[in-house]
Amino acid sequence: MVRLHVKRGDESQFLLETAASARLSDLTPLVARIYNGRLKVQRLCSEMEELAEHGTLLPYNMQGLTDEQIEELKLKDEWAEKCIPSGGSIFKKDEIGRRNGHAPNEKMQQVIKKTIEEAKALISRKQVQANVCVNMEMVKDALDQLRGAVMIVYPMGLPPHDPIRMEFENKEDLLGTQAALEVIEESEAQLWWAGKELKETKVLSDYVGKNEKTTIIVKIQKKLEEDDDDSFLNAEWADSHALKRQFHGVKDIKWGPR
């Protein structure tokens, strides 16, 4: 199997094993799916940390208001009585006024926090250092673990506007957020290696040969982004003519989109 070391910019993301005969029309969307799935896990972990500390999300019209403003406007969080954590809640005010403060008890908090640690470990960038490949099944496993923890702690479910529930239902609204800039839609994804776009009309072996023990560094990016990665020069199979090109002053020519 060919091993892909997937990067976004200069940052390592994950390792993926695939056959040299893999069609790029299948491989590129798969890489994007894993990349986006890892982002979803990270977003969920971040929100679930807040859930454990401060309970469910307030309705949008109550967020950021003081207690006095809420009382004056006669607003009420109707979901607070419907979405009670197992074993009851403890009050821990959310100082930024985003969540309702009715946090799970200590035991249920630990259920959430322990699951977050396990899910993060599955898709962590540290897996690259550990030489562990990540696949879509591992991403799904991480998502299932997080979903299971929420079901244990909140058997009645979460409010429909809570971003955790929206993520699980694939209804998340990332418009206008930093997270939206990180996502790469499968239809917009491109893989680049050795300064070349891996065209979806070809198979991987058209570029790297048929050696199934090859490891290559590929960059995932959106269409029309500029490729500036020369990390392929560190690969074992680096072009034998690279030194010659260097003497001729053409070593750093790029063919990325401009």
Side-chain angles (χ1 to χ4, degrees):
M1 301 290 279
V2 175
R3 178 165 293 191
L4 306 183
H5 179 168
V6 180
K7 287 188 172 186
R8 172 74 163 130
D10 293 327
E11 294 187 340
S12 294
Q13 299 295 321
F14 56 92
L15 301 177
L16 174 67
E17 284 189 333
T18 187
S21 59
R23 294 185 176 277
L24 272 306
S25 58
D26 297 324
L27 182 59
T28 301
L30 174 61
V31 173
R33 207 170 303 133
I34 295 173
Y35 171 80
N36 291 330
R38 291 174 66 255
L39 291 177
K40 178 185 278 283
V41 171
Q42 291 165 8
R43 293 194 302 269
L44 275 164
C45 287
S46 178
E47 286 290 353
M48 286 175 63
E49 288 170 355
E50 295 298 314
L51 177 70
E53 290 293 325
H54 302 295
T56 59
L57 197 77
L58 284 166
Y60 297 124
N61 64 343
M62 294 177 66
Q63 292 179 28
L65 300 182
T66 64
D67 293 340
E68 291 75 16
Q69 289 171 322
I70 290 174
E71 185 176 349
E72 183 180 341
L73 295 170
K74 298 180 180 179
L75 300 175
K76 184 180 180 181
D77 180 10
E78 297 181 355
W79 291 96
E81 298 176 0
K82 302 176 183 178
C83 305
I84 301 174
S86 296
S89 62
I90 55 177
F91 190 75
K92 190 174 181 182
K93 185 177 178 61
D94 182 4
E95 295 300 331
I96 64 173
R98 187 165 176 264
R99 292 184 173 270
N100 66 16
H102 298 291
N105 63 32
E106 184 64 29
K107 182 180 178 181
M108 292 295 103
Q109 285 184 27
Q110 288 307 311
V111 169
I112 293 176
K113 291 177 179 179
K114 184 174 185 294
T115 306
I116 287 173
E117 289 180 8
E118 293 172 351
K120 280 184 174 180
L122 272 175
I123 55 90
S124 171
R125 291 176 181 172
K126 292 180 180 179
Q127 296 281 51
V128 175
Q129 301 168 4
N131 208 31
V132 174
C133 291
V134 173
N135 53 41
M136 200 61 214
E137 286 67 33
M138 293 169 69
V139 174
K140 289 178 179 176
D141 188 22
L143 291 171
D144 287 343
Q145 287 184 28
L146 294 171
R147 183 183 290 105
V150 171
M151 291 175 66
I152 289 171
V153 180
Y154 286 89
M156 301 302 291
L158 297 176
H161 56 271
D162 196 297
I164 297 170
R165 175 170 169 177
M166 295 174 74
E167 288 279 4
F168 285 138
E169 295 178 350
N170 294 318
K171 297 177 180 177
E172 65 271 23
D173 182 10
L174 305 180
L175 190 64
T177 67
Q178 177 62 34
L181 302 178
E182 297 173 345
V183 172
I184 300 177
E185 298 295 337
E186 292 180 29
S187 60
E188 298 178 355
Q190 289 181 332
L191 294 182
W192 284 74
W193 165 75
K196 305 182 189 72
E197 179 194 351
L198 304 186
K199 300 285 187 180
E200 293 193 358
T201 55
K202 296 181 177 291
V203 297
L204 187 59
S205 60
D206 290 337
Y207 295 96
V208 303
K210 298 183 179 180
N211 182 358
E212 293 284 355
K213 295 184 179 180
T214 297
T215 296
I216 65 171
I217 296 175
V218 298
K219 178 189 289 187
I220 183 171
Q221 62 184 47
K222 297 179 183 179
K223 291 178 180 176
L224 303 182
E225 285 183 342
E226 183 173 341
D227 177 65
D228 59 358
D229 187 18
D230 60 1
S231 55
F232 70 95
L233 294 174
N234 297 322
E236 295 177 358
W237 37 261
D239 189 343
S240 61
H241 296 292
L243 186 60
K244 181 178 179 181
R245 287 203 305 272
Q246 184 174 0
F247 283 125
H248 286 283
V250 294
K251 171 176 171 283
D252 294 322
I253 287 178
K254 304 295 182 187
W255 297 102
R258 301 297 181 188

